[in-house]
Amino acid sequence: MRERVDRIADPWGDRTPYGPGEPWPVRVDAFLEPGLDADRVERWVRTASLLHSNGDAMDIAVHDGRIVGVRGRAGDRVNRGRLGPKDLFGWQANRSADRLTRPLVRRGGRLVETDWDTAMSAVVERSRHLLGERGPGSIAFYTSGQLFLEEYYTLAVIARAGIGTNHLDGNTRLCTATAAEALKETFGCDGQPASYTDVDHCDTLALFGHNMAETQPVLWMRVLDRLEGAGPPRLLCVDPRPTPVARRADVHLAPRAGTNVALLNGLLHEVIRTDRVDRDFIERHTVGFDELAERVAGCTPDWAARICDVPARRIEQAAELLGGAERLLSTVLQGVYQSHQATAAACQVNNLQLIRGMLGRPGCGVLQMNGQPTAQNTRECGADGDLPGFRNWENDRHVADLARVWNVEPSRIPHYAPPTPAMQIFRYAEQGSVRLLWIAGTNPAVSLPELHRIRDILARESLFTVVQDLFLTETAQLADVVLPAATWGEKTGTFTNADRTVHLSEQAVHPPGEARPDLDVFLDYARRMDFRDQDGRPLVHWHDAESAFRAWQECSRGRPCDYTGLGYAKLRGASGIQWPCTDEAPDGTERLYPDGPAWATPDTCETYGRDLVTGASVSETEYRALNPDGKAVLKAAEYLPPHEDTSDEHPLQLTTGRTLYHFHTRTKTGRTPQLDAAAPDVWVELSAAEARARHLGEGDLVEVRTPRGSVRGRLRVTGIRDGMVFLPFHYGYWDTPAGHRPGEDGGRAANETTITDWDPASKQPLFKTAAARIALVARADGDHAPAPTTTASAPADPASVPPTTGGPDALATQTAEAPEGDER
């Protein structure tokens, strides 16, 4: 069966139902440039998705040296051929007319074109000057969650052992730092215990702050197909907005922002009170149960209901659902990670899973999800606040082992303090100790909180800023040197998704103009800086993507994220292999910890842990006393009120988030016609009751203001919980006359309003806990909010707003069988 479907109006496509334990049926999705038939495609080139974290395998269609479309790969374990809207249409951004094609340098206050040698010489000259005058701590790197593994690893070697700086972090600090920290706190080490295939087996699925339908649409297709098949799983959704997940949930809890720990403690209380715990599993595989039980003993549903503003009976129903599960799968994302007490809340989800004994077998596990396609690689490779290979910076043996791999003295690798998180790097730049900041593949002038402050930092005369990107972003407009980068489809490398599945992405076409792969830029910098190991040989001794991957394999050998059984040839044969992949597990590892945690002993763990309130490090001595045998740690947490609460002046809670059709700051999706048309501008969401109380209606132009700044947008009245206002965070200024800052019509970027605050353990900024007020600017006069009707932004009164459609240009094919030539 082959049909064409408007994948803007119907983002998840048709259903292919299946039952528990059955394989997920194939459905191959494809989209080609209008007017081009599949038989005119000259080559299909392997890759996987770039605009989310799911890792959907696909093939790029090439015709006449151009990317002309994509199709899903039928035999891949992640997507079985399916693609989401951003997969199907997002490739068109590669061909945008405003791609950067030559380097830029700032002269006389303006960015002007130059050649690569001049641009790189400027960066190298400033680097050498600062190393000589101020030392390694004057140089910092802030990278992305969208580069390739080979690029992160190369950058980590350059930063840690070449420069010798502790200041290397990624924008993954904004989305998955809490995922990593929660896994480390509980299991001693990063790495997702569960697998996407657990959706095929679970009888209960609990989603905590995870709008899967919009952030991982293909994974939601998998869930939808289970829901339509025999023996569907029961769903628990915790989210303050009426997401597509919430609409399908058996139990939906919509708590006040910042109260996740109170809610989770209430659920833990009920599961323990009703004795729905696996005491044998707890005894064999965990420590800390007695403290946990004592901590939540008074956290009754009535207590939690008062704090969370959720009915106590609904909390009891959720606990009954969790307690009655025989195969429980839990997932967590930004509704937890970007909110108050982020790590503490994420750890309580782990605790629920563990006291139920639901780990390491089909349908049982936890997915502390990622938000970007290669967020996992930043963590593995040491480009996101960790040492490569999940090594412990406080363990001298781990540092010495890394020094052996790099053939340098251990003292050359900075480990006198934790690697510096992103918010602290920008603080050091503000204070003047960081004098060179190299930003690769990210746009902090839109994505970081309290944007007026970030713009001021980036514009400082004392800070030399290098930006490596595809477009002249809001951040690039403030840079001293801009380096044009190649992107997905224009370079080769590997990337690893949220459930540890590794894909190879091959170069399909040449990058435009003089744009270069990020790896080539880093290799050129290392060569010009002449970094050497202790024997005088080049520190960075690889020369292309495949040799960089081989270097990474050696760094990963014997570590939790062991890649030694992988290789480009193997990845070209199979489609998606999960690490660890070794000689002992040549086909990869579907799920971790079938016999309990494997990397939690004091000698092997990635961290000794942190205090969840203060963020202070737990000492090695304390950890040895707590967990000598390397079990999972049931880390209890007390609920504490948010730092910024509502008041008479700011009576609403502000939360920010994503929409299905855009990714991050729209540098790619905003240049994709179908995606941009589905959500062309910022909007504001408010409940019907709150709108009536303020005499506001659909389409009114309103201003949302916090103590830090304001945003103007048209109002969408939705089913969001009362007392809350929502802003999508994607919108900046690159496509406005203002360029990189608010214009005369007011702010457009949600982060004009967000607070400079972060979780004490994960150091992740809190984008979902702020106080705001809303005011009318102008009546609608027939206008509607530019918000999709297919998502959590659906109007409370569907008849009041035209439905979101993509029209003829958004018609993609769906095929129930694999197309000819598609490798299974």
Side-chain angles (χ1 to χ4, degrees):
M1 180 184 68
R2 182 183 178 91
E3 58 181 315
R4 289 162 64 82
V5 177
D6 180 344
R7 292 297 301 278
I8 295 298
D10 185 5
W12 304 286
D14 293 339
R15 302 279 55 80
T16 54
Y18 70 115
E22 297 175 359
W24 190 21
V26 167
R27 189 195 84 193
V28 176
D29 298 346
F31 177 75
L32 293 177
E33 183 180 275
L36 187 78
D37 295 327
D39 57 8
R40 293 180 60 198
V41 173
E42 296 165 3
R43 289 184 297 126
W44 292 97
V45 182
R46 283 188 169 215
T47 187
S49 51
L50 180 70
L51 298 174
H52 50 78
S53 68
N54 208 58
D56 305 332
M58 67 178 84
D59 300 320
I60 296 172
V62 179
H63 174 76
D64 196 23
R66 300 162 58 245
I67 297 175
V68 293
V70 292
R71 73 177 181 197
R73 196 171 312 132
D76 194 83
R77 64 174 306 277
V78 170
N79 60 322
R80 303 283 286 159
R82 292 160 186 79
L83 298 175
K86 291 193 289 289
D87 301 328
L88 288 165
F89 307 121
W91 55 269
Q92 296 167 94
N94 284 37
R95 307 189 328 200
S96 294
D98 60 342
R99 282 286 299 274
L100 292 170
T101 58
R102 296 197 71 202
L104 307 173
V105 295
R106 188 168 296 278
R107 290 178 180 154
R110 295 176 56 248
L111 287 169
V112 298
E113 286 191 352
T114 189
D115 57 76
W116 272 98
D117 185 62
T118 299
M120 292 301 294
S121 294
V123 177
V124 169
E125 180 181 345
R126 184 61 63 98
S127 299
R128 287 176 174 160
H129 171 75
L130 289 171
L131 284 172
E133 293 291 322
R134 293 178 173 271
S138 62
I139 298 176
F141 298 87
Y142 183 53
T143 186
S144 177
Q146 300 168 58
L147 306 187
F148 288 153
L149 176 153
E150 296 80 356
E151 293 161 341
Y152 295 127
Y153 182 59
T154 301
L155 180 58
V157 176
I158 288 171
R160 305 290 188 211
I163 299 292
T165 182
N166 220 13
H167 308 329
L168 167 62
D169 202 5
N171 68 3
T172 44
R173 180 66 55 185
L174 315 183
C175 60
T176 68
T178 298
E181 191 64 34
L183 292 169
K184 290 186 288 186
E185 294 292 339
T186 299
F187 301 107
C189 183
D190 197 350
Q192 298 289 356
S195 171
Y196 289 168
T197 53
D198 287 318
V199 171
D200 306 342
H201 300 278
C202 68
D203 68 1
T204 304
L205 177 59
L207 298 98
F208 297 92
H210 182 194
N211 182 5
M212 183 191 289
E214 299 191 54
T215 55
Q216 281 92 24
V218 168
L219 189 57
W220 180 238
M221 295 175 205
R222 196 169 196 146
V223 173
L224 288 174
D225 287 348
R226 275 295 319 273
L227 293 176
E228 296 299 319
R234 296 174 297 172
L235 257 61
L236 166 64
C237 173
V238 178
D239 199 303
R241 298 172 70 215
T243 65
V245 178
R247 294 180 206 131
R248 294 299 301 261
D250 295 88
V251 179
H252 174 211
L253 304 176
R256 278 178 56 83
T259 64
N260 288 329
V261 167
L263 178 65
L264 286 156
N265 279 355
L267 294 173
L268 284 161
H269 168 94
E270 279 297 280
V271 171
I272 294 172
R273 183 188 67 80
T274 56
D275 200 28
R276 300 291 188 89
V277 299
D278 187 333
R279 296 191 180 274
D280 180 63
F281 183 94
I282 291 168
E283 177 65 27
R284 287 187 293 117
H285 296 304
T286 73
V287 296
F289 178 74
D290 291 343
E291 180 185 349
L292 175 66
E294 182 179 356
R295 170 67 69 188
V296 303
C299 300
T300 66
D302 287 337
W303 170 87
R306 289 192 296 273
I307 294 171
C308 303
D309 190 28
V310 171
R313 179 59 188 144
R314 194 72 58 82
I315 296 172
E316 291 169 351
Q317 291 170 343
E320 177 65 26
L321 188 149
L322 295 170
E326 295 183 3
R327 295 179 304 279
L328 171 64
L329 175 64
S330 296
T331 73
V332 190
L333 199 58
Q334 312 298 17
V336 171
Y337 301 159
Q338 294 180 343
S339 193
H340 178 58
Q341 292 190 279
T343 304
C347 285
Q348 303 321 300
V349 177
N350 293 344
N351 290 346
L352 277 167
Q353 205 72 35
L354 287 166
I355 66 172
R356 296 270 11 256
M358 301 287 178
L359 186 71
R361 51 193 173 90
C364 302
V366 62
L367 287 165
Q368 297 281 353
M369 296 295 292
N370 298 340
Q372 295 189 72
T374 58
Q376 192 65 46
N377 298 125
T378 64
R379 285 145 51 183
E380 298 162 5
C381 295
D384 184 21
D386 294 295
L387 292 185
F390 298 155
R391 290 171 172 88
N392 187 343
W393 68 269
E394 293 182 281
N395 187 322
D396 288 341
R397 291 181 297 278
H398 287 204
V399 176
D401 183 61
L402 183 60
R404 174 193 60 79
V405 173
W406 290 346
N407 193 31
V408 298
E409 289 293 331
S411 59
R412 191 161 157 185
I413 301 171
H415 58 286
Y416 50 85
T420 313
M423 296 298 288
Q424 191 63 51
I425 288 175
F426 278 83
R427 176 62 173 154
Y428 288 153
E430 186 175 44
Q431 293 173 328
S433 62
V434 164
R435 295 299 183 99
L436 188 156
L437 177 58
W438 191 328
I439 300 169
T442 187
N443 192 14
V446 177
S447 60
L448 285 182
E450 204 167 350
L451 285 181
H452 72 87
R453 174 175 171 260
I454 300 303
R455 286 190 292 265
D456 288 348
I457 293 170
L458 292 172
R460 288 175 64 95
E461 288 291 330
S462 63
L463 182 65
F464 187 85
T465 305
V466 181
V467 171
Q468 190 168 310
D469 215 312
L470 315 183
F471 302 99
L472 194 65
T473 64
E474 291 86 344
T475 303
Q477 293 175 49
L478 297 169
D480 297 284
V481 175
V482 179
L483 304 175
T487 186
W488 170 99
E490 301 167 357
K491 59 183 183 177
T492 294
T494 52
F495 47 154
T496 306
N497 77 344
D499 85 333
R500 299 173 284 103
T501 300
V502 184
H503 287 107
L504 176 64
S505 181
E506 304 257 28
Q507 181 178 1
V509 299
H510 294 294
E514 298 176 22
R516 293 182 179 180
D518 298 273
L519 178 62
D520 290 1
V521 177
F522 296 146
L523 291 175
D524 185 26
Y525 179 70
R527 179 184 60 78
R528 290 169 182 263
M529 291 294 291
D530 197 26
F531 297 127
R532 299 279 168 169
D533 67 14
Q534 62 186 352
D535 295 326
R537 295 190 295 261
L539 175 68
V540 179
H541 53 80
W542 45 93
H543 62 279
D544 63 6
E546 189 165 5
S547 57
F549 185 84
R550 288 195 294 269
W552 161 248
Q553 285 181 290
E554 286 307 308
C555 187
S556 75
R557 185 179 296 276
R559 301 303 306 155
C561 50
D562 195 324
Y563 279 65
T564 53
L566 290 169
Y568 276 28
K570 188 168 189 173
L571 290 168
R572 287 182 177 117
S575 185
I577 302 173
Q578 290 172 286
W579 65 249
C581 181
T582 63
D583 290 342
E584 293 74 28
D587 298 323
T589 305
E590 187 170 22
R591 55 187 61 84
L592 303 182
Y593 313 140
D595 300 311
W599 296 91
T601 68
D603 292 328
T604 61
C605 64
E606 186 181 359
T607 180
Y608 302 125
R610 293 181 180 275
D611 185 291
L612 299 183
V613 175
T614 67
S617 293
V618 174
S619 71
E620 179 182 357
T621 301
E622 291 171 313
Y623 187 79
R624 286 186 181 277
L626 169 70
N627 196 19
D629 300 320
K631 298 181 179 182
V633 178
L634 296 168
K635 204 151 192 175
E638 176 187 7
Y639 166 71
L640 300 171
H643 299 153
E644 180 170 286
D645 207 346
T646 54
S647 64
D648 290 342
E649 186 177 2
H650 297 97
L652 296 170
Q653 290 191 305
L654 170 67
T655 187
T656 69
R658 305 180 184 221
T659 187
L660 170 64
Y661 302 104
H662 282 305
F663 187 60
H664 282 206
T665 61
R666 298 172 56 252
T667 52
K668 300 180 187 72
T669 56
R671 292 173 168 89
T672 301
Q674 298 89 337
L675 301 175
D676 191 53
D681 208 342
V682 69
W683 70 90
V684 178
E685 291 179 27
L686 201 64
S687 74
E690 296 291 354
R692 282 194 302 271
R694 291 163 174 78
H695 306 290
L696 300 173
E698 168 69 35
D700 284 350
L701 182 63
V702 296
E703 182 178 79
V704 177
R705 180 171 292 277
T706 73
R708 292 154 294 279
S710 65
V711 168
R712 288 186 178 185
R714 295 208 172 270
L715 182 66
R716 167 59 52 84
V717 179
T718 76
I720 192 172
R721 66 162 285 127
D722 293 341
M724 181 171 282
V725 58
F726 170 85
L727 288 171
F729 81 92
H730 307 288
Y731 300 89
Y733 307 102
W734 62 262
D735 52 346
T736 71
H740 69 272
R741 63 177 66 246
E744 295 180 359
D745 295 334
R748 190 189 191 204
N751 284 319
E752 304 289 354
T753 65
T754 49
I755 189 170
T756 300
D757 193 9
W758 53 85
D759 181 72
S762 69
K763 316 303 181 188
Q764 182 162 345
L766 307 183
F767 295 103
K768 299 182 183 293
T769 311
R773 65 175 183 264
I774 190 169
L776 177 69
V777 176
R779 289 295 177 192
D781 194 23
D783 295 305
H784 298 289
T789 61
T790 52
T791 63
S793 304
D797 177 9
S800 66
V801 178
T804 298
T805 63
D809 291 340
L811 292 175
T813 61
Q814 292 181 165
T815 309
E817 297 177 356
E820 185 177 350
D822 183 42
E823 297 181 22
R824 287 172 179 263

